[in-house]
Amino acid sequence: MLDSAEILDIMNQTFMLSLRIAMPFLLVSMILGIVIAIFQAATSINEQTLTFVPKLIAIIIMLTVLGGTLLKTMQDFFTMIMKMVAGG
């Protein structure tokens, strides 16, 4: 049985893993959104798809580039959790 310190450590690791996985996508989406918003303000174009489609394309590209690394990170974390559950 896990004690409270180990459970808190697992929760901390889970939170940090979720940040490492989500942060690249959030940062690219935010930076692209700011660039597009500046472009829209400069040209007075207020089209909603102008912000959505480039963000979607950028996230898909990032997923293809970083997908293997993210999957390996999640697999390693899952393996660590299963070893802790098994008592090893």
Side-chain angles (χ1 to χ4, degrees), residues 62-76:
M62 285 194 59
L63 191 58
T64 58
V65 171
L66 297 176
T69 304
L70 297 176
L71 182 61
K72 178 69 174 144
T73 303
M74 289 187 286
Q75 286 174 337
D76 291 342

Side-chain angles (χ1 to χ4, degrees), residues 1-3 6-7 10 13-14 76-88:
M1 175 115 182
L2 300 174
D3 62 354
E6 290 175 328
I7 293 172
I10 291 171
Q13 289 178 8
T14 304
D76 291 342
F77 182 74
F78 182 75
T79 303
M80 180 199 66
I81 295 295
M82 286 299 116
K83 285 181 181 177
M84 290 180 82
V85 168

Side-chain angles (χ1 to χ4, degrees), residues 23-87:
M23 196 58 65
F25 298 102
L26 294 174
L27 285 176
V28 166
S29 179
M30 183 184 68
I31 291 170
L32 196 57
I34 290 172
V35 169
I36 292 171
I38 292 171
F39 173 75
Q40 283 182 326
T43 59
S44 297
I45 298 174
N46 291 325
E47 180 64 33
Q48 293 298 320
T49 57
L50 189 61
T51 59
F52 178 73
V53 174
K55 285 181 187 180
L56 181 66
I57 292 170
I59 288 174
I60 289 172
I61 289 170
M62 285 194 59
L63 191 58
T64 58
V65 171
L66 297 176
T69 304
L70 297 176
L71 182 61
K72 178 69 174 144
T73 303
M74 289 187 286
Q75 286 174 337
D76 291 342
F77 182 74
F78 182 75
T79 303
M80 180 199 66
I81 295 295
M82 286 299 116
K83 285 181 181 177
M84 290 180 82
V85 168

